[in-house]
Amino acid sequence: MTKVHNFSAGPCILAPQVIKKASEAVINFNNLNLSLLEISHRSDDFVEVMDKARNLVKKVLNVPEGYEVIYLGGGASLGFTIAALNFLKVGGKAAYINTGTWASGAIKEAKKIGAVEVIASSEDKNFSYIPKGYTIPKDIDYLHYTSNNTIFGTQFKSIPKTDSLLICDMSSDIFSKPIDVSKFDLIYAGAQKNLGPAGSTLYIVKKELLGKTGNSIPSMLDLSNHIAKDSMYNTPPVFPVYVNMLTLEWLVELGGVKEMGRINAEKASTLYNEIDRNPLFKGVVEKEDRSEMNVTFVLNNEAHKDRFDQLWKKANINGIEGHRSVGGYRASIYNALPLESVKVLVEAMKELEKTA
Ligand SMILES: *Cc1c(COP(=O)(O)O)cnc(C)c1O
């Protein structure tokens, strides 16, 4: 098989050994002569997978006592609703920071549930920066933000300081570097960026805070129900959870999130250095807010587009077309993408400079 350098934004690249083990489990899981896809989620073999996947999250992120880890379906987009339903009180108010498409989605859904104040936004400049210097109101139930903006290529470099509860959509940078979970009250993340295939969403929640909204929450959207049943309230997404487990095992083997953070920083600087050095390209967002996961850039002269597209396609690069709302290019350099692939992209950029 020809090696493809997969810069896809999501679903995206997974570690090769994870794909291999996952494919084996589809044929014959745990030597049961049955597929992982055809055994009961209540079987010992699968319960072990679920326990392991949940415990690995705790281990890898150093999750403190009092927090629960569960896997649900519905994607991060359902997380927008679940966050608000479980934390926005009757007659209360939530504060949101609007840093792009996904943050806007979270705001839209929360508004259907209660009062929402957008306290900061970078919409005025097509979400090309992370807002700073805003005031966080005191009378809020929680502050919500999106740590990495997958489409626009910006990332928060520090956690917003607030005395209220803090909720974060970490879909596209969870497990990319160490985080202090104790600063958060709810973290949620769709798996298909850094963790596994589409179909499961990770929730890390401070348990004692649940059940305090004064609202009756539909059973499937009530985090307490899922916690009480050890993430098996209904049939969980068994295959995605298994692949999440494999990815976390791979991450532990590699040295955990600290080592991952080091590798990701090197990948990001390799690519941004070329964007800044090469006179044919420029970055899209404020330098200080650049994402280490999604690198957005454009050609200074559109006349070079056909030639550049030819070059990267010839180098077996996949998935660097920019999102329609930004244009240009977006190279997603998630955990499983090796530095070697970034170097191949940098070579294609240098080749364009030489031959344009
Ligand atoms: C991809 C993404 C989402 C949407 O995830 P779904 O699982 O498709 O609902 C939400 N937030 C962020 C930050 C994302 O990157």
Side-chain angles (χ1 to χ4, degrees):
M1 220 160 70
T2 313
K3 179 154 175 71
V4 173
H5 302 284
N6 187 6
F7 290 85
S8 181
C12 62
I13 186 166
L14 293 168
Q17 57 265 55
V18 167
I19 300 269
K20 183 162 181 292
K21 283 185 191 164
S23 66
E24 286 162 4
V26 169
I27 309 280
N28 181 1
F29 179 56
N30 276 3
N31 283 323
L32 298 170
N33 291 321
L34 291 166
S35 168
L36 169 67
L37 308 181
E38 55 184 4
I39 60 165
S40 167
H41 60 291
R42 308 271 175 214
S43 65
D44 291 346
D45 291 83
F46 185 75
V47 170
E48 193 186 320
V49 168
M50 180 58 97
D51 288 347
K52 218 176 191 180
R54 295 170 76 203
N55 284 326
L56 276 164
V57 172
K58 290 187 179 170
K59 177 177 163 178
V60 170
L61 292 181
N62 217 349
V63 175
E65 282 294 304
Y67 286 78
E68 295 285 345
V69 173
I70 50 176
Y71 289 98
L72 307 181
S77 300
L78 187 60
F80 302 160
T81 303
I82 287 182
L85 271 178
N86 283 268
F87 284 90
L88 191 41
K89 292 181 176 146
V90 175
K93 182 174 79 173
Y96 278 69
I97 302 176
N98 188 6
T99 51
T101 309
W102 299 121
S104 306
I107 291 164
K108 181 178 161 210
E109 295 312 311
K111 279 182 173 167
K112 294 177 184 172
I113 290 154
V116 167
E117 189 178 332
V118 178
I119 60 158
S121 169
S122 50
E123 194 171 10
D124 59 335
K125 291 185 181 161
N126 200 29
F127 300 112
S128 59
Y129 67 102
I130 297 290
K132 287 156 204 101
Y134 45 83
T135 312
I136 303 168
K138 294 256 177 280
D139 59 336
I140 52 170
D141 293 335
Y142 63 85
L143 171 67
H144 178 288
Y145 78 107
T146 311
S147 53
N148 182 70
N149 298 285
T150 325
I151 290 175
F152 297 92
T154 61
Q155 185 174 29
F156 280 78
K157 302 293 157 158
S158 59
I159 300 171
K161 284 192 184 58
T162 173
D163 294 328
S164 71
L165 303 191
L166 188 61
I167 297 182
C168 187
D169 172 2
M170 283 192 199
S171 294
S172 53
D173 67 354
I174 195 161
F175 299 114
S176 68
K177 58 181 193 309
I179 48 162
D180 182 355
V181 174
S182 74
K183 295 266 195 300
F184 299 90
D185 299 288
L186 171 67
I187 293 168
Y188 62 97
Q192 70 274 21
K193 313 285 163 54
N194 252 342
L195 195 53
S200 70
T201 312
L202 176 67
Y203 292 79
I204 305 172
V205 61
K206 199 169 186 181
K207 190 179 170 185
E208 66 178 31
L209 301 171
L210 295 172
K212 297 197 187 334
T213 63
N215 246 335
S216 159
I217 304 173
S219 305
M220 274 296 289
L221 304 178
D222 186 340
L223 291 173
S224 308
N225 285 336
H226 294 283
I227 291 168
K229 299 288 183 192
D230 289 327
S231 209
M232 297 264 206
Y233 180 77
N234 68 325
T235 318
V238 291
F239 184 68
V241 169
Y242 180 68
V243 183
N244 292 349
M245 184 202 86
L246 294 176
T247 299
L248 291 165
E249 285 177 342
W250 165 79
L251 190 53
V252 169
E253 222 174 274
L254 185 134
V257 279
K258 194 152 174 249
E259 178 61 8
M260 197 73 254
R262 192 194 63 74
I263 297 169
N264 284 332
E266 188 181 357
K267 283 169 3 192
S269 64
T270 301
L271 187 47
Y272 283 121
N273 285 345
E274 178 61 15
I275 290 167
D276 293 340
R277 186 209 62 80
N278 193 319
L280 303 189
F281 292 95
K282 67 167 187 273
V284 172
V285 304
E286 284 295 325
K287 279 190 184 172
E288 63 181 10
D289 302 324
R290 284 173 162 177
S291 166
E292 289 193 345
M293 293 279 103
N294 311 95
V295 177
T296 47
F297 58 102
V298 293
L299 280 162
N300 281 316
N301 182 351
E302 275 299 302
H304 294 139
K305 185 179 181 318
D306 288 349
R307 174 77 183 134
F308 183 54
D309 289 352
Q310 253 177 14
L311 282 171
W312 62 260
K313 282 175 188 163
K314 207 177 85 199
N316 283 321
I317 286 169
N318 171 65
I320 64 163
E321 297 92 352
H323 190 273
R324 61 192 177 281
S325 51
V326 183
Y329 300 93
R330 170 176 52 166
S332 296
I333 52 176
Y334 295 119
N335 284 359
L337 183 98
L339 177 61
E340 177 209 339
S341 292
V342 174
K343 287 182 175 163
V344 170
L345 174 56
V346 166
E347 274 315 305
M349 295 164 80
K350 286 188 170 150
E351 187 63 22
L352 180 70
E353 184 190 12
K354 267 188 239 149
T355 57

